[in-house]
């Protein structure tokens, strides 16, 4: 069985490289360009693009402030959770450029580090009946990509999809129902309580660029927190997700080629539908399709402002 591990790692690395290459294949810049040198001979010259500059070349610093509403679930638990609110701070880089040779189409990317607090204390809600209180701090990395339309000289509508990798520390409180909780549910909560846990998420949303330095943001994120990080099963599940996204990227590229102005909407709908479906399957198996426990899951609706410098 151990002999398959190197194969899985190599497949994951190769597939990730393929997916990233497809995600950046917006044909806004040719990777190879003809170059006229001083000897008056045509020659090939490599043009460095997103795949080699990690997305920060010609990017602009950005700060995002979000406020939102959340919901916590865990498959198999009979007791519910108090619905929390959240605040979030993001620090990162935004990059916009024309897409598919159209000056009024935008290829948009935003990579950031974020920290958030999600708690029922922020919502001012108290437990109703047999509900469990929670207070979660989360630190992570987010990458979103999408396409949009220019609405004016300094305004635009952007539709995006992305993913997150994060570490969460959750504090559960349930003093009023301690004697009513089954031992199995207490054990489940103790797996997460006051300890750091790895998690992933899928996010989709809309950004409205009001002026050159200000964007309004509305997004939905579905994320899971692993009770244990089983690396090989997680890697296998990630490979399947990456393969599905890669195949979808190829299909979306063909739509852009034939109908460029339909591309942003089709990309937004299909990629977010795929992300939602995958995380729906992971509600019962955190490393779907591999046998694994159910994760702690979060659904979050966010509204925010992004300041671009």
């Amino acid at each position: 069985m151990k002999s398959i591990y190197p194969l899985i790692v190599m497949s994951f690395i190769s597939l990730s490289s393929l997916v990233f290459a497809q995600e950046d294949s917006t044909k806004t810049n040719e990777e190879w360009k003809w170059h006229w040198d001083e000897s008056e001979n045509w020659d090939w010259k490599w043009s460095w693009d997103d795949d080699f500059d990690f997305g920060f070349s010609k990017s602009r610093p950005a700060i995002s402030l979000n406020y939102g509403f959340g919901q916590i679930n865990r498959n198999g638990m009979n007791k519910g959770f108090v619905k929390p609110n959240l605040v979030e701070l993001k620090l990162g880089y935004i990059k916009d450029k024309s897409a598919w040779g159209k000056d009024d189409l935008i290829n948009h990317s935003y990579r950031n580090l974020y920290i958030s607090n999600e708690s029922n204390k922020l919502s001012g809600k108290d437990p109703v009946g047999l509900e469990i209180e929670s207070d979660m701090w989360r630190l992570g990395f987010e990458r979103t990509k999408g396409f949009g339309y220019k609405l004016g000289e300094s305004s635009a509508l952007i539709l995006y999809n992305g993913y997150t990798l994060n570490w969460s520390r959750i504090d559960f409180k349930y003093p009023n129902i301690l004697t009513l909780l089954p031992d199995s549910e207490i054990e489940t909560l103790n797996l997460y309580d006051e300890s750091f846990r790895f998690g992933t998420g899928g996010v989709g949303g809309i950004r409205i660029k009001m002026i050159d330095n200000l964007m309004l943001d509305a997004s939905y994120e579905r994320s899971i927190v692993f009770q244990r990080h089983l690396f090989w099963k997680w890697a296998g599940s990630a490979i399947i997700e990456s393969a599905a996204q890669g195949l979808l990227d190829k299909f979306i590229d063909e739509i852009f080629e034939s109908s460029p102005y339909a591309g942003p909407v089709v990309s937004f709908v299909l990629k977010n539908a795929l992300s939602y479906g995958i995380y729906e399957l992971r509600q019962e198996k955190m490393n779907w399709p591999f046998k694994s426990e159910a994760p702690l899951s979060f659904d979050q609706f966010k509204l925010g402002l992004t300041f671009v410098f």
Side-chain angles (χ1 to χ4, degrees), residues 76-256:
M77 288 196 65
N78 296 320
K79 303 300 183 290
F81 298 85
V82 181
K83 292 182 179 180
N85 285 12
L86 67 95
V87 291
E88 186 175 65
L89 171 66
K90 298 179 181 179
L91 303 177
Y93 293 88
I94 283 179
K95 186 175 183 179
D96 291 329
K97 55 187 178 182
S98 60
W100 294 89
K102 305 292 184 180
D103 291 335
D104 50 354
L105 287 183
I106 299 172
N107 177 17
H108 172 86
S109 66
Y110 185 19
R111 307 181 188 193
N112 62 76
L113 296 174
Y114 67 89
I115 184 171
S116 67
N117 178 235
E118 185 166 335
S119 173
N120 56 276
K121 296 177 182 177
L122 294 173
S123 64
K125 296 178 181 178
D126 295 319
V128 178
L130 305 180
E131 289 186 322
I132 300 167
E133 298 180 71
S134 65
D135 185 13
M136 178 179 73
W137 283 94
R138 189 168 65 156
L139 176 67
F141 166 81
E142 177 187 71
R143 184 194 187 202
T144 59
K145 287 180 63 67
F147 301 93
Y149 306 92
K150 280 190 175 181
L151 304 178
E153 186 65 28
S154 300
S155 59
L157 173 66
I158 297 165
L159 310 172
Y160 67 87
N161 166 266
Y163 65 86
T164 66
L165 302 174
N166 55 74
W167 289 262
S168 304
R169 186 183 188 279
I170 311 171
D171 181 16
F172 290 118
K173 293 183 179 179
Y174 40 91
N176 297 330
I177 60 171
L178 178 60
T179 57
L180 302 177
L181 284 175
D183 290 341
S184 60
E185 295 193 7
I186 293 177
E187 290 176 2
T188 297
L189 293 174
N190 286 340
L191 290 172
Y192 300 95
D193 194 32
E194 296 186 345
S195 58
F196 282 95
R197 290 289 180 264
F198 177 71
T200 64
V203 58
I206 299 173
R207 291 193 177 103
I208 301 176
K209 187 177 181 181
M210 305 297 293
I211 57 176
D212 192 46
N213 300 102
L214 179 64
M215 292 182 175
L216 302 181
D217 200 337
S219 64
Y220 168 73
E221 179 181 347
R222 168 163 273 200
S223 60
I224 58 175
V225 179
F226 297 81
Q227 66 180 43
R228 288 187 300 157
H229 187 200
L230 305 175
F231 178 80
W232 295 113
K233 289 186 177 182
W234 169 78
S237 181
I239 288 172
I240 293 173
E241 180 181 4
S242 296
Q245 291 286 2
L247 292 173
L248 189 56
D249 284 335
K250 181 61 176 175
F251 178 71
I252 292 170
D253 284 350
E254 294 176 355
I255 290 176
F256 268 104

